[in-house]
Amino acid sequence: MKKIFSIALMAVAALSANAQNIQLHYDFGRNLYSNEEGDRQKVTATLEQFKADDWGSWYYFFDVDLTSKTTRSIYTEISREINLSKNLPLAAHVEYDGGLWHAPAIGNGSYQQAGLAGIAYNGHNADFSKTWSVQALYKQFFKSYEGTHSYASFQLTGVWGLNFLDNKMTFSGFIDFWRGEKANNHGCLVILSEPQLWYNVNKHFSVGTEVEFSNNFIVNYYNDKTFFVNPTLGVKWNL
């Protein structure tokens, strides 16, 4: 999991202006793709927070990928939105993406860092049981380690949250489209989506699943496969 952006947090934040949760997911990717993803992490722990204020909102998450022996990686996305109008649901959006990883056979390294800036269109129904956001962003990748270089890109993001069955169920998630580059520096369209379905046992504790759909996102040295579906089982504690 590289991004677990749950805009359903907005529903809680509408009342408290602050929502935070901790998630723990068991990932089945390495079981489904033993060659292509044989070294994929087994467990991901996530800390996520949304905080609204008079100017707009802050959002961040930290993903910590774990194996049975070590911490595999730490990845974060931190964003700030500033409301542009009281009459229109438009906001200026700025964001930083980046993190560190560890591979036993290679050593330590970092994800290629990126900065994003653009416009977000955010919406919700009267009781905040349905929330959504569409973001159009300029994305700048930076030279982060040997073999990478700086290049300009774009990203289009859609985010949704839906509470139903008297708030016992939550369906939330995101889909990202951005221009990436392959090892030969040829451009490609990267697609990443991570819908989540949760059963809310009470206002604090939830059990559910996340399914990561991706194309041109996972580095695969074994064959030409680019599309992967990686499901998880998870628990969530709302603070």
Side-chain angles (χ1 to χ4, degrees):
M1 283 162 288
K2 297 303 179 200
K3 183 175 181 182
I4 307 178
F5 189 126
S6 175
I7 201 173
L9 290 169
M10 290 176 61
V12 179
L15 302 176
S16 66
N18 190 12
Q20 191 174 30
N21 69 66
I22 298 173
Q23 301 178 30
L24 190 66
H25 290 260
Y26 184 86
D27 193 296
F28 294 96
R30 65 189 301 163
N31 304 104
L32 297 175
Y33 309 101
S34 58
N35 288 330
E36 297 90 344
E37 296 190 292
D39 62 346
R40 186 177 175 89
Q41 80 285 347
K42 293 182 178 180
V43 176
T44 298
T46 298
L47 173 65
E48 181 182 39
Q49 183 175 26
F50 176 93
K51 183 176 177 60
D53 54 40
D54 292 339
W55 294 88
S57 63
W58 287 96
Y59 172 81
Y60 73 83
F61 76 85
F62 289 92
D63 272 354
V64 182
D65 290 339
L66 305 169
T67 68
S68 59
K69 297 180 179 180
T70 184
T71 298
R72 176 59 57 87
S73 66
I74 299 175
Y75 177 80
T76 185
E77 295 185 6
I78 304 171
S79 64
R80 171 66 180 175
E81 289 195 352
I82 299 176
N83 298 328
L84 297 178
S85 172
K86 294 183 178 180
N87 300 319
L88 294 174
L90 295 176
H93 180 108
V94 293
E95 181 178 328
Y96 165 81
D97 302 348
L100 303 173
W101 54 261
H102 169 73
I106 302 175
N108 301 318
S110 67
Y111 293 102
Q112 187 167 13
Q113 302 175 80
L116 300 90
I119 297 294
Y121 178 89
N122 304 314
H124 58 82
N125 63 350
D127 63 358
F128 282 83
S129 63
K130 299 177 182 177
T131 56
W132 59 88
S133 177
V134 179
Q135 303 160 14
L137 306 171
Y138 170 82
K139 188 171 189 176
Q140 179 67 46
F141 286 96
F142 303 110
K143 178 177 174 58
S144 301
Y145 53 91
E146 186 176 356
T148 63
H149 63 277
S150 177
Y151 68 93
S153 181
F154 69 90
Q155 182 167 303
L156 180 64
T157 294
V159 189
W160 70 89
L162 173 64
N163 293 325
F164 57 101
L165 295 182
D166 197 26
N167 291 325
K168 296 303 292 183
M169 299 293 298
T170 298
F171 178 56
S172 59
F174 73 91
I175 185 168
D176 284 339
F177 304 87
W178 75 86
R179 179 191 176 275
E181 289 193 356
K182 298 182 179 181
N184 58 9
N185 295 332
H186 289 179
C188 64
L189 177 64
V190 182
I191 303 173
L192 177 64
S193 182
E194 293 181 359
Q196 297 182 339
L197 182 65
W198 297 102
Y199 172 71
N200 303 312
V201 179
N202 53 49
K203 67 177 182 179
H204 290 294
F205 183 66
S206 303
V207 295
T209 182
E210 175 184 276
V211 182
E212 179 190 275
F213 299 90
S214 68
N215 192 59
N216 286 322
F217 178 69
I218 293 172
V219 178
N220 173 18
Y221 298 105
Y222 284 87
N223 51 44
D224 295 329
K225 183 178 179 62
T226 61
F227 180 76
F228 293 86
V229 179
N230 293 300
T232 76
L233 287 178
V235 292
K236 177 170 66 170
W237 183 262
N238 296 300
L239 302 175

